[in-house]
Amino acid sequence: MTAKKKKSEMINLTIDGRKVQAKPGWTILETARFNHIHIPTLCFHPAVKPWGSCRLCVVETRYGKRGQIAPSCLIHPVHQLEVFTDSERVKNVRRWVLEMLLAECPASREIKELAAQYGITSTRFHITDPKEECLKCGLCVAVCHEVVGVQALTFGSRGVKKQLETPYRIPNSACIGCGCCVSVCPTGALQARLDTVRGDLSRRTGHGFAH
Amino acid sequence: MKTGQALIPSGPEPRLGIFLCECGEEIAPKVDLAALARTLAPAPRVEHVEILPFSCLAPGLDRVREAITRKELNRIIVAGCESRILHKKFDRALAALGVEEEEIDLVNLRDYVARVHQGAPGELAGKGAKLIRASQAWLETLKPAPRLRIDYQGPVLVLGGGIAGYGAAQELAEQGVETIIALHRDQEEEIRRAHSIYPGDDHCFDRLASIIQRVTASPLVRTVRVGELKQVSGRFSDYTVTFTAPKGEEIVEYQAGAIIAALDWEVAHQFPEFGHDGDRVICQVEMNEFIRDGRPLIDRIVFWINDMEAGQPFAAHLSLEGAWNMATLLREKWPETRVSILYDGSLAIPFGTFDRARARQLGIALIPYNGKVRPLVKSEYISFNQKNIQTEQDLGWDLLVLSPRRNPGAQALGTAKILGLEVKEEEFLERYPQMVRPDQVVLDEKLIVGSACQPCDLRGALSQGRRVAKKTAVLVKKAQAGELYAPRVISTVDQDKCSVCTLCREICDCLAIQPVSGPVEGLGHNVPRMVDPMLCTGEGTCVASCPELALTLENCTLAQHEARVTALARSLAADEVMGFGCQWSGAAAADQAGLRGLAYDRRFYLLPVRCLGQIDPVVMAWAFLEGANGLLLIGCNPEECHHSYGIDHTWSRVWVLRKLLDLCGLERERIALAHSDITKPEGFVGTVESFLKTLDTLGPIPREAETQSKLQALYDTLHVYRVRWVLGVSLRRPWETSYPMHMPNPVAYDRTLTEIVGEEFFRARVRNLLRVKGKSLLLQDITQALGVEEERARDYLKDMGQEGLISIVFINRTLYYGLPFGPQ
């Protein structure tokens, strides 16, 4: 591939009325952040592949006459795309998302603060567990697999019963106790739960490999 | 070939690129990055400084790559967030440009500075600059070790004679890996033995027979008959294994690339205290024989699963399964028998509703009892407390079948010992995988399988073998393709310096340190050590304890540690304090403190390390010598080191440092060890605050010549072989109760240590004094200058003279002490 062709590959788009350029492969979120345009996220972490579970990073995209609301962490821009990160339509979706998250993890300080920024202080959805902090964004699962290289954490059950847990709900000997899951958790829910994953560390060290 | 690759010079001259992250609102408004960039740019080797909104995202990475290519950078510092999480992303992104993982360092500007401190952006930039400078010194001193490729030779050797070996051999053959299976018995004997140690597994034997047949028929598997295992030497990719011949005394030797040891447990009869007599009260092994012999069996048969009572709760479910299998067989073959199974109700039952239905159909009574009340065997009856009903019941029997007693067996333990494992009598060889990341060690667990490792039935043993064979096959194929590399950070031994003290071998818990080629005739075990790069987890406590400083932790050397400490210690203000944090706990807790928005004193500077165990006491001393007024080491909880007792070893090292600080006339509290955990960032903050408070009351170390010379002596003392050796042997595992050098108790031991440290400290001071003065001195001069008692000093000096460390001469009937003659 020649250098000349590469140059012409820059994609021109506008984000909130600002003209910006993006290279193929960049997502809208990455392009926006690089241009100091803030988009709130919960389940996005640069260390792992984005998978758009929290739906907070949604933006409104318009291309000619067509337009849609889409998660900015997953979609790649095209030429002449118009992106709105803070339009009324976007805000409305975010408010819905936050209201649902407030019901999902009512104990989380981070979610409450974020919701308050959008004017949400209460939720109309059913609260199953008032002490829940985990929003099941899956960052911990992804980081454990993609960054650490082990699979100590998984999602158990499905649908509304989905829970973050270890296989058989017992401490997993695959866990190396690195705490990466705790570090990436957007609500800090894993800090209290780490012991259910790693178990008693002293039991697992002192394996007597010496002579 | 891409042009980028050719641009990177392989020369040693480091060219640094520093990338400062704004991280949205996290760093930029709180830390004055522009000022920080201005501070960092003028350094001689810094070729590029750039502020990026997000270095970690695709646009940022593109800019980093572009800068590397344009300016030929070969050392990268990213001042942003946690190294633990983002280091890998940078490794992967920059690997194509020839930047190796150890050439990238991440400084956590966000969690160590921006989020946890309040202050003017300019001041916070000052703190950031000091941390980045330290990292810069680390990278500048780095001499990247060449990548170590594992050249794999020879087949996989399956030894130990366990059933699991067949599972392993079958899997390896299926994967197309050449295998030798060393057998101790012929096929018939093998199956007979399997019957006796896996009672109740009769239904699996057809499968076992077919596996054996397939293994022996496979062209990839070589079956050899051997006698006893004598010795294993070498390392992964190149083992030499010696056996005695099956008959006679001669020795047979096999070369192998990898070893899988398959070890079976041994099964014994139950203790007589349960009524075992071999006649009417028998155990499952005998019952198994009865069934196989087709002996006519009598009326009421009761299986009592008494493993809980016999102290082997781990085997209860295996006994229960065995009993169930035998019971079904009995009812099918001898319909006139009445069979009951009596088991502890607290057991998780390994069979489901289908089996229960089948039990009803076959007329097998499954009776759970209350485990808190011990059943008692009486003649013709067994009394027990029925679960749920809680009443005492009697169950009549004509033949009572007890669980067998399982133990790892002398043969398995013997083999494990030869393989280098520490074994305890009667204890299964169960191993947990190493608690480090998969990319930090290649062989995370020893390839030992079978029921002597993890109690299991026949099927379990075969699948254990298969599982480990699958892993081995992956490694072997990778190695054969020339793609298997050792991790970047591993210990290596300088064979010329090694004095064969075996200390590192005792300390290493990864089993990575071995003699070069086993015991050599005439030399015994006294041959230099070497490190198996496949097993080393790159902790470095062995390196920090080597009396000869013969070990090096590649890409994480002593020189790097000293350079980093120098850079930081020299830049610290009088009231500022530095510390080391372990990546698993201290540094992780500091990251977490930032994430949770906790705040602590700005005067604390944390240097992250892989494990506290790699901090040589020399480095701690160096910090004090270079200007640190206090040193805080934050590591894991005791006995929770992810490598080999690094935290426990650091504990001993800190204690020796305290002794030496005492001797320097400085306060012991200037060095402290703390324990921390990622789930308790508040604890970390508390530790830091309290240490700073302690240091505030102590004030800075007065840096006049006298103290500096004492600190120099402190530093020198820690290089002395004798001190390092005594400190090394005191690096104990927490459960050890005996003390080295036949010391009766910890007090006596500590007294000896104090004496030795004291004497060596004196010696170091004398040497320094003589060097400074440049002439021979009188005893009074020395005692006056060093402030020691005359009598003691004379004794010490006499010893020094005898050892040739100083020269003692008479001039005009007066004793003069001077530096030794000749080359120094």
Side-chain angles (χ1 to χ4, degrees):
Chain A
M1 216 176 277
T2 59
K4 200 180 167 189
K5 196 169 181 196
K6 261 192 176 169
K7 236 180 195 176
S8 66
E9 269 179 11
M10 289 305 273
I11 298 161
N12 295 305
L13 68 153
T14 60
I15 302 180
D16 292 345
R18 266 175 63 188
K19 281 190 179 135
V20 295
Q21 283 194 320
K23 273 189 194 168
W26 298 4
T27 60
I28 290 183
L29 179 70
E30 286 175 322
T31 316
R33 285 201 168 174
F34 198 65
N35 289 290
H36 298 99
I37 297 165
H38 177 67
I39 297 175
T41 56
L42 281 171
C43 77
F44 176 80
H45 196 284
V48 296
K49 285 194 199 99
W51 71 306
S53 76
C54 75
R55 286 306 194 234
L56 205 67
C57 69
V58 285
V59 290
E60 190 179 351
T61 57
R62 277 186 218 149
Y63 187 71
K65 282 182 184 172
R66 286 179 291 169
Q68 63 166 351
I69 290 278
S72 62
C73 65
L74 286 175
I75 52 168
H76 300 278
V78 288
H79 268 297
Q80 315 298 333
L81 188 76
E82 281 180 273
V83 179
F84 300 92
T85 67
D86 217 20
S87 67
E88 201 41 53
R89 211 176 144 197
V90 169
K91 275 189 199 158
N92 192 34
V93 175
R94 285 197 194 138
R95 275 196 289 269
W96 274 108
V97 169
L98 283 165
E99 204 172 329
M100 285 190 261
L101 282 175
L102 267 187
E104 184 69 41
C105 36
S108 163
R109 178 171 57 88
E110 284 80 359
I111 300 284
K112 270 186 210 154
E113 282 171 9
L114 202 60
Q117 283 176 24
Y118 284 84
I120 309 286
T121 46
S122 63
T123 179
R124 286 164 283 176
F125 296 100
H126 172 65
I127 295 174
T128 359
D129 182 1
K131 283 185 186 144
E132 183 61 280
E133 282 187 294
C134 170
L135 70 136
K136 285 116 197 158
C137 67
L139 254 187
C140 43
V141 178
V143 98
C144 193
H145 183 43
E146 290 175 35
V147 175
V148 186
V150 299
Q151 277 165 301
L153 270 167
T154 49
F155 276 125
S157 310
R158 290 187 210 173
V160 288
K161 289 182 183 164
K162 192 165 165 181
Q163 277 295 337
L164 180 82
E165 57 195 26
T166 50
Y168 306 108
R169 295 187 191 128
I170 52 169
N172 192 343
S173 67
C175 174
I176 58 164
C178 62
C180 286
C181 48
V182 180
S183 292
V184 295
C185 182
T187 61
L190 240 120
Q191 191 178 308
R193 274 181 214 201
L194 186 62
D195 282 335
T196 64
V197 181
R198 64 181 177 183
D200 181 6
L201 285 189
S202 61
R203 184 182 61 86
R204 291 178 49 196
T205 52
H207 18 212
F209 263 152
H211 313 265
Chain B
M1 199 169 130
K2 279 184 191 167
T3 45
Q5 255 169 335
L7 285 171
I8 300 299
S10 54
E13 191 55 40
R15 293 173 67 84
L16 255 122
I18 302 175
F19 299 91
L20 307 172
C21 300
E22 290 177 1
C23 204
E25 300 280 294
E26 296 287 0
I27 301 176
K30 294 172 192 159
V31 181
D32 187 349
L33 290 179
L36 182 54
R38 279 196 302 276
T39 326
L40 293 168
R45 292 196 182 97
V46 176
E47 305 289 334
H48 185 83
V49 181
E50 190 175 351
I51 302 170
L52 292 169
F54 285 90
S55 314
C56 54
L57 298 180
L61 281 174
D62 280 347
R63 291 281 277 274
V64 175
R65 279 196 212 101
E66 190 205 332
I68 291 173
T69 327
R70 191 157 40 88
K71 300 205 171 164
E72 300 177 17
L73 305 174
N74 56 9
R75 303 281 193 279
I76 307 299
I77 296 175
V78 180
C81 56
E82 311 105 317
S83 168
R84 297 181 302 128
I85 291 167
L86 274 166
H87 201 289
K88 206 170 193 173
K89 181 162 189 179
F90 286 100
D91 292 349
R92 284 180 185 155
L94 306 183
L97 300 177
V99 180
E100 298 277 357
E101 63 176 80
E102 71 277 2
E103 291 168 342
I104 305 166
D105 197 18
L106 266 71
V107 178
N108 198 342
L109 214 52
R110 189 187 69 192
D111 299 318
Y112 293 178
V113 184
R115 273 180 177 170
V116 286
H117 303 319
Q118 304 292 330
E123 285 169 14
L124 294 190
K127 177 170 180 180
K130 288 177 190 176
L131 288 174
I132 294 170
R133 283 256 186 264
S135 154
Q136 185 187 333
W138 172 269
L139 287 181
E140 280 173 359
T141 338
L142 166 79
K143 289 196 174 61
R147 289 186 86 186
L148 185 62
R149 200 173 68 202
I150 310 294
D151 291 319
Y152 182 87
Q153 287 149 3
V156 177
L157 178 65
V158 181
L159 53 80
I163 290 298
Y166 289 106
Q170 188 208 4
E171 179 69 33
L172 287 167
E174 271 174 23
Q175 302 257 358
V177 176
E178 210 186 317
T179 312
I180 302 178
I181 178 162
L183 299 176
H184 298 277
R185 305 162 205 89
D186 64 26
Q187 202 171 323
E188 267 174 43
E189 228 180 303
E190 198 78 78
I191 289 182
R192 208 176 314 129
R193 187 176 137 272
H195 272 296
S196 70
I197 58 174
Y198 296 109
D201 278 349
D202 277 10
H203 59 291
C204 297
F205 276 81
D206 290 344
R207 196 154 141 247
L208 177 66
S210 86
I211 290 175
I212 293 179
Q213 205 185 350
R214 254 184 286 169
V215 165
T216 40
S218 168
L220 280 168
V221 183
R222 209 172 110 210
T223 326
V224 291
R225 279 291 297 279
V226 292
E228 230 180 291
L229 176 67
K230 286 307 249 189
Q231 190 200 319
V232 177
S233 63
R235 53 181 173 181
F236 184 89
S237 79
D238 184 19
Y239 282 111
T240 309
V241 185
T242 327
F243 296 94
T244 56
K247 276 167 202 152
E249 284 298 300
E250 67 266 41
I251 299 285
V252 275
E253 224 178 60
Y254 293 99
Q255 300 290 330
I259 297 174
I260 295 177
L263 306 172
D264 278 331
W265 63 20
E266 274 170 18
V267 171
H269 296 317
Q270 200 47 268
F271 293 118
E273 66 182 82
F274 292 100
H276 182 267
D277 58 4
D279 178 29
R280 288 189 60 220
V281 183
I282 58 175
C283 92
Q284 286 188 8
V285 185
E286 290 156 303
M287 189 65 192
N288 200 39
E289 277 167 31
F290 289 175
I291 295 174
R292 275 165 42 78
D293 293 350
R295 189 193 291 203
L297 289 162
I298 32 174
D299 200 24
R300 292 172 299 176
I301 300 173
V302 173
F303 286 91
W304 176 24
I305 312 301
N306 66 333
D307 300 76
M308 296 287 198
E309 287 75 15
Q312 295 196 312
F314 57 84
H317 71 282
L318 297 171
S319 300
L320 186 56
E321 212 173 300
W324 163 256
N325 290 335
M326 281 191 252
T328 48
L329 214 64
L330 278 172
R331 288 290 297 163
E332 278 163 5
K333 280 195 185 169
W334 291 271
E336 64 277 8
T337 50
R338 280 184 283 160
V339 185
S340 326
I341 299 175
L342 187 64
Y343 64 94
D344 191 327
S346 62
L347 264 183
I349 307 170
F351 32 71
T353 41
F354 176 77
D355 297 304
R356 284 168 176 280
R358 197 164 147 70
R360 275 195 298 278
Q361 198 185 345
L362 285 168
I364 299 168
L366 300 175
I367 308 165
Y369 64 82
N370 177 5
K372 284 175 191 151
V373 184
R374 190 181 170 114
L376 202 64
V377 184
K378 296 173 181 150
S379 68
E380 298 183 5
Y381 284 99
I382 176 165
S383 80
F384 63 94
N385 189 301
Q386 186 148 12
K387 203 196 169 195
N388 303 331
I389 308 171
Q390 322 269 320
T391 50
E392 286 291 327
Q393 308 267 340
D394 281 338
L395 183 66
W397 50 269
D398 296 309
L399 188 64
L400 182 66
V401 187
L402 302 171
S403 299
R405 231 154 27 84
R406 297 163 167 97
N407 54 60
Q411 200 203 343
L413 292 182
T415 308
K417 220 173 201 169
I418 292 171
L419 287 169
L421 269 75
E422 186 183 40
V423 292
K424 286 177 196 143
E425 278 306 303
E426 298 278 310
E427 218 165 273
F428 283 84
L429 298 161
E430 192 168 356
R431 294 276 174 272
Y432 292 100
Q434 292 280 358
M435 295 233 305
V436 294
R437 292 186 179 199
D439 49 11
Q440 288 175 332
V441 61
V442 181
L443 283 176
D444 61 342
E445 51 187 322
K446 262 267 152 175
L447 304 177
I448 298 184
V449 286
S451 48
C453 306
Q454 209 164 12
C456 60
D457 56 6
L458 182 63
R459 212 173 44 180
L462 288 169
S463 76
Q464 273 191 38
R466 266 200 311 278
R467 187 180 62 84
V468 80
K470 232 174 234 170
K471 269 187 161 181
T472 316
V474 172
L475 281 182
V476 169
K477 280 182 188 166
K478 218 170 159 188
Q480 281 168 344
E483 285 165 4
L484 188 63
Y485 289 93
R488 297 299 287 153
V489 180
I490 47 167
S491 307
T492 51
V493 186
D494 185 340
Q495 306 267 318
D496 298 331
K497 278 193 196 166
C498 177
S499 67
V500 202
C501 65
T502 71
L503 193 60
C504 50
R505 200 176 173 206
E506 279 163 32
I507 282 170
C508 175
D509 199 36
C510 330
L511 209 66
I513 299 179
Q514 298 287 347
V516 162
S517 53
V520 172
E521 217 170 332
L523 285 172
H525 284 271
N526 288 339
V527 281
R529 307 289 128 185
M530 72 170 184
V531 178
D532 188 339
M534 303 291 283
L535 291 171
C536 183
T537 61
E539 174 201 18
T541 190
C542 50
V543 178
S545 59
C546 178
E548 299 279 10
L549 293 162
L551 275 84
T552 315
L553 194 61
E554 296 288 357
N555 299 323
C556 216
T557 55
L558 185 63
Q560 277 177 279
H561 275 298
E562 286 195 348
R564 184 162 72 153
V565 163
T566 311
L568 185 59
R570 285 192 184 162
S571 68
L572 291 184
D575 59 343
E576 290 177 329
V577 171
M578 61 186 283
F580 289 107
C582 168
Q583 62 163 346
W584 303 105
S585 51
D591 291 348
Q592 192 62 11
L595 287 164
R596 303 302 290 163
L598 306 176
Y600 56 89
D601 204 314
R602 201 168 68 218
R603 296 172 299 153
F604 182 67
Y605 291 77
L606 188 75
L607 297 174
V609 286
R610 277 171 79 95
C611 172
L612 275 192
Q614 68 178 242
I615 308 287
D616 198 298
V618 166
V619 176
M620 303 180 198
W622 185 251
F624 283 106
L625 187 60
E626 284 295 310
N629 294 313
L631 191 60
L632 178 61
L633 298 109
I634 310 175
C636 305
N637 289 322
E639 293 190 54
E640 287 187 6
C641 180
H642 289 240
H643 303 268
S644 307
Y645 309 102
I647 185 69
D648 309 287
H649 294 173
T650 311
W651 183 84
S652 306
R653 290 174 187 139
V654 167
W655 271 97
V656 167
L657 251 290
R658 289 193 154 186
K659 273 186 210 306
L660 281 161
L661 283 175
D662 251 352
L663 289 169
C664 290
L666 295 169
E667 298 81 0
R668 304 163 67 87
E669 296 79 23
R670 289 193 185 271
I671 186 163
L673 178 68
H675 306 289
S676 171
D677 189 89
I678 187 163
T679 55
K680 295 181 182 66
E682 298 82 5
F684 167 83
V685 171
T687 305
V688 170
E689 296 278 354
S690 84
F691 189 68
L692 280 166
K693 215 172 273 172
T694 315
L695 262 284
D696 281 343
T697 53
L698 297 179
I701 295 175
R703 294 281 165 186
E704 80 272 15
E706 170 75 7
T707 321
Q708 273 312 89
S709 83
K710 279 181 186 167
L711 284 173
Q712 180 66 46
L714 186 159
Y715 176 68
D716 292 344
T717 308
L718 289 166
H719 279 89
V720 175
Y721 183 93
R722 188 165 160 226
V723 173
R724 289 184 73 88
W725 165 254
V726 177
L727 174 57
V729 291
S730 74
L731 300 177
R732 307 156 49 68
R733 300 212 168 72
W735 61 81
E736 284 175 24
T737 48
S738 63
Y739 285 82
M741 297 184 290
H742 312 291
M743 291 294 160
N745 57 43
V747 179
Y749 169 71
D750 196 54
R751 212 170 283 147
T752 319
L753 185 62
T754 313
E755 251 166 53
I756 292 172
V757 169
E759 187 178 345
E760 291 298 337
F761 181 70
F762 174 81
R763 288 176 173 201
R765 290 204 68 196
V766 168
R767 273 200 304 273
N768 289 345
L769 182 71
L770 292 173
R771 211 170 291 144
V772 171
K773 297 279 181 199
K775 59 172 187 181
S776 298
L777 296 175
L778 287 166
L779 181 64
Q780 289 93 312
D781 298 338
I782 293 174
T783 50
Q784 223 162 38
L786 304 186
V788 245
E789 297 157 38
E790 209 161 286
E791 202 173 323
R792 203 147 156 222
R794 193 181 291 126
D795 284 352
Y796 282 165
L797 287 168
K798 201 174 143 195
D799 285 348
M800 279 179 86
Q802 276 170 359
E803 285 176 34
L805 295 169
I806 52 167
S807 63
I808 305 172
V809 283
F810 276 101
I811 303 170
N812 293 338
R813 291 187 188 175
T814 322
L815 265 178
Y816 279 90
Y817 300 91
L819 287 169
F821 305 115
Q824 290 162 24

